Amino acid sequence: KATVSVLNCYYLTPLPAATTTPPIDTMTQQVLVLGAGLVVKPLVDYLRQHGYNVVLGSRGLEKAQKVCASSGARAVKIDVEDKADLPTLEAEIKAADLVISMLPWLLHATAAKMSLDNDKHFLTTSYVSPAMRELDAYAKSKNLVMINECGVDPGTDHMSASRVMDAARAKGGKIVSFTSYCGGLPAPSANNNPFGYKFSWAPRGVLLAAKNQAKYLEGGDVVNVASEDLWAVGIDHDVKGFETPFCGVPNRDSTQYKEIYGLPHIKTLLRGTFRYAHGYPQILLALVKLDLLALDEKAFNCTYNELMRAQAGGSGDLKADVAAKVGHAVDSHVIKAFEWLGLFTDEPVKATTNLDAVCELMKARPEMYYAPGEKDMIVMKHTYEVEYADRTEYLSTTMVDYGLDDGTTSMSRTVGLPVAIAARMVLEGKITKPGVQIPITGDIYNPILDELEKLGIKFEDQVDKVVRKADL
């Protein structure tokens, strides 16, 4: 039967308590999970609670053992980048019925190719990369399922939006506008640093993502956003249940979803990221203006004070010169945040790029991480404009999920559970379409969203306004 392996995961709403954890049974299907990151435990626990053997492969054996301790899953040392570990990887793939990779996206292709070579289904939460797309024909030739983008963003953002848009099209509607935003943020009770943000994944990765370019459709026109302008184009959005707005900035290339989602009539199409409107957007834009997210490698032989002087120019009061450079007052939130971070200190810079110099300061501040008892949250909101023969409907979908009292994060649940549910469906023969795919068809998104609702993760759809043509 089948074995499932998991590599990395996220946490969502509490899983129903199992009366007993199923014992390891060599006659049961097995899953191999690759990666023991912050979002993997809910994934492993879900599969174990549903009777699957789970092997968790990670380059850090101790980390994997901690994830497996409560569920009885088996941990094994596997470093996909170490040639010496490839025989172990292949042996575990051969022993499994399905493989889930929660590794960094650049490492998926190695595990995916080996999985297909050994006739195993392969799932991941990451975006479909060119390397993964190249495996589509091979997967189809072997009748193997390869589901990608099956976490939260990407993942349930696709699923929840597709459910609404498919229903509208079934009634004869034409989707002419669609926006989608998602953010992993501190819950209001844990929002206690100047950035309004805490790390739930690699700090350097967070800063690198802040340098992305963006492209989207607005009113039928293609809008290109340069990386240096990304944090200047944010738009505030209200979300039900929150007194203060969230700033939405575009994320990568949204225009490709015109074809992916099947939206021939679309005029406005934007997928983006949410941050608290006060703090993060203004601070990131100021860092960009000072070129403090640059990746040019160089030898630093200076303090942070001296680095700021070099970036801001001038010869007067340093804080005043920095404030003038970034367009804020000396007593502004941005300058206070720089001071809080340590950018105006005599500490020596120990880094090889400006970005890493900033990253090291952020990593050194405990408030940039979740303390025991602090909760994170995931906030997602879609908006739709749908034209019918006699009316135009304005719809929205909202999902807000919080971390649990036991310390399980919302990020881990919302990322790990969807791919765990998809793996279960593949092993049960409920998902059979071969090849590389994302979860935008009803046979995949309906059962996953239904199961997530049972686990406490619910998407609320509503009609916000209807404008009838007869009333115009």
Side-chain angles (χ1 to χ4, degrees):
K1 296 186 179 178
T3 300
V4 176
S5 300
V6 177
L7 308 170
N8 288 351
C9 62
Y10 297 90
Y11 294 71
L12 294 181
T13 317
L15 296 170
T19 49
T20 58
T21 299
I24 294 294
D25 180 356
T26 56
M27 296 303 292
T28 298
Q29 289 178 304
Q30 182 164 302
V31 176
L32 169 63
V33 177
L34 299 172
L38 295 173
V39 297
V40 171
K41 192 173 187 302
L43 161 60
V44 171
D45 290 351
Y46 179 90
L47 291 170
R48 287 294 295 132
Q49 289 176 12
H50 285 84
Y52 296 101
N53 288 345
V54 176
V55 177
L56 178 59
S58 172
R59 65 183 181 183
L61 181 59
E62 185 176 349
K63 181 191 290 187
Q65 289 171 333
K66 288 181 179 179
V67 172
C68 295
S70 63
S71 67
R74 176 167 63 88
V76 59
K77 179 187 176 299
I78 298 177
D79 184 347
V80 174
E81 295 183 280
D82 186 347
K83 290 183 178 180
D85 281 1
L86 293 184
T88 302
L89 173 62
E90 184 158 27
E92 293 296 346
I93 287 175
K94 286 181 177 179
D97 298 283
L98 180 148
V99 178
I100 299 173
S101 178
M102 303 297 283
L103 297 168
W105 69 271
L106 286 171
L107 303 180
H108 291 323
T110 298
K113 178 63 164 56
M114 192 176 288
S115 297
L116 298 181
D117 288 344
N118 288 280
D119 299 310
K120 311 299 180 183
H121 304 292
F122 186 86
L123 280 66
T124 181
T125 59
S126 299
Y127 284 103
V128 178
S129 67
M132 293 292 283
R133 179 63 64 191
E134 288 177 2
L135 295 172
D136 180 50
Y138 186 34
K140 289 176 178 175
S141 72
K142 305 199 89 173
N143 202 35
L144 294 171
V145 176
M146 291 186 70
I147 299 177
N148 297 257
E149 305 187 23
C150 199
V152 60
D153 178 10
T156 53
D157 54 350
H158 296 323
M159 302 181 212
S160 54
S162 294
R163 180 172 62 180
V164 171
M165 291 191 289
D166 284 349
R169 283 184 288 233
K171 296 187 296 182
K174 297 178 181 178
I175 294 93
V176 296
S177 176
F178 171 66
T179 69
S180 174
Y181 293 93
C182 182
L185 299 163
S189 61
N191 185 18
N192 54 13
N193 70 51
F195 283 79
Y197 184 83
K198 298 197 176 192
F199 295 123
S200 57
W201 57 297
R204 193 172 196 269
V206 172
L207 291 179
L208 287 173
K211 291 169 56 67
N212 285 336
Q213 299 175 343
K215 184 179 180 181
Y216 61 95
L217 289 175
E218 184 173 18
D221 296 324
V222 174
V223 179
N224 289 286
V225 182
S227 59
E228 61 267 24
D229 297 327
L230 185 66
W231 296 97
V233 300
I235 298 174
D236 287 355
H237 296 262
D238 293 324
V239 176
K240 182 180 178 181
F242 294 90
E243 295 181 358
T244 57
F246 295 91
C247 176
V249 296
N251 183 21
R252 306 190 192 192
D253 182 6
S254 298
T255 63
Q256 62 182 313
Y257 289 92
K258 178 176 182 178
E259 179 179 353
I260 292 172
Y261 287 160
L263 301 173
H265 309 287
I266 201 77
K267 296 177 182 177
T268 295
L269 175 57
L270 190 157
R271 286 167 46 87
T273 301
F274 267 156
R275 292 288 182 263
Y276 279 113
H278 180 65
Y280 196 93
Q282 297 82 17
I283 297 169
L284 265 290
L285 181 58
L287 290 173
V288 170
K289 288 182 178 180
L290 290 166
D291 204 26
L292 284 173
L293 298 184
L295 289 169
D296 309 86
E297 293 199 4
K298 55 187 175 182
F300 286 91
N301 185 23
C302 65
T303 66
Y304 278 97
N305 259 330
E306 291 167 336
L307 172 62
M308 293 295 278
R309 170 60 70 196
Q311 300 307 116
S315 58
D317 178 78
L318 178 58
K319 291 181 184 177
D321 288 340
V322 170
K325 179 77 172 181
V326 301
H328 287 275
V330 175
D331 62 350
S332 66
H333 181 83
V334 168
I335 301 303
K336 290 178 180 178
F338 282 177
E339 186 171 17
W340 175 86
L341 191 59
L343 285 168
F344 298 120
T345 69
D346 290 325
E347 287 294 315
V349 177
K350 298 178 181 178
T352 57
T353 72
N354 286 357
L355 182 144
D356 288 296
V358 173
C359 188
E360 289 304 310
L361 290 179
M362 296 177 81
K363 287 162 60 176
R365 294 295 314 216
E367 301 91 337
M368 293 300 300
Y369 296 86
Y370 289 94
E374 291 185 340
K375 295 182 180 181
D376 71 329
M377 68 177 181
I378 300 294
V379 180
M380 185 184 297
K381 183 176 181 179
H382 312 313
T383 66
Y384 323 77
E385 181 179 344
V386 186
E387 291 184 350
Y388 293 89
D390 62 339
R391 68 193 187 282
T392 298
E393 292 185 353
Y394 298 85
L395 318 172
S396 63
T397 298
T398 304
M399 186 273 283
V400 178
D401 185 78
Y402 293 92
L404 307 181
D405 291 339
D406 66 2
T408 300
T409 66
S410 175
M411 181 66 77
S412 65
R413 293 196 321 116
T414 53
V415 173
L417 289 177
V419 72
I421 297 166
R424 179 185 172 195
M425 292 170 61
V426 172
L427 293 172
E428 291 178 350
K430 295 176 180 177
I431 298 177
T432 58
K433 179 184 175 183
V436 175
Q437 57 197 288
I438 65 174
I440 57 173
T441 56
D443 60 322
I444 299 178
Y445 66 66
N446 278 321
I448 291 178
L449 292 175
D450 289 347
E451 178 75 354
L452 287 174
E453 184 166 349
K454 294 176 183 177
L455 297 172
I457 301 165
K458 184 177 181 180
F459 293 81
E460 296 186 3
D461 304 322
Q462 68 179 44
V463 178
D464 298 317
K465 183 172 66 172
V466 178
V467 176
R468 300 193 176 276
K469 291 185 177 180
D471 298 331
L472 297 176

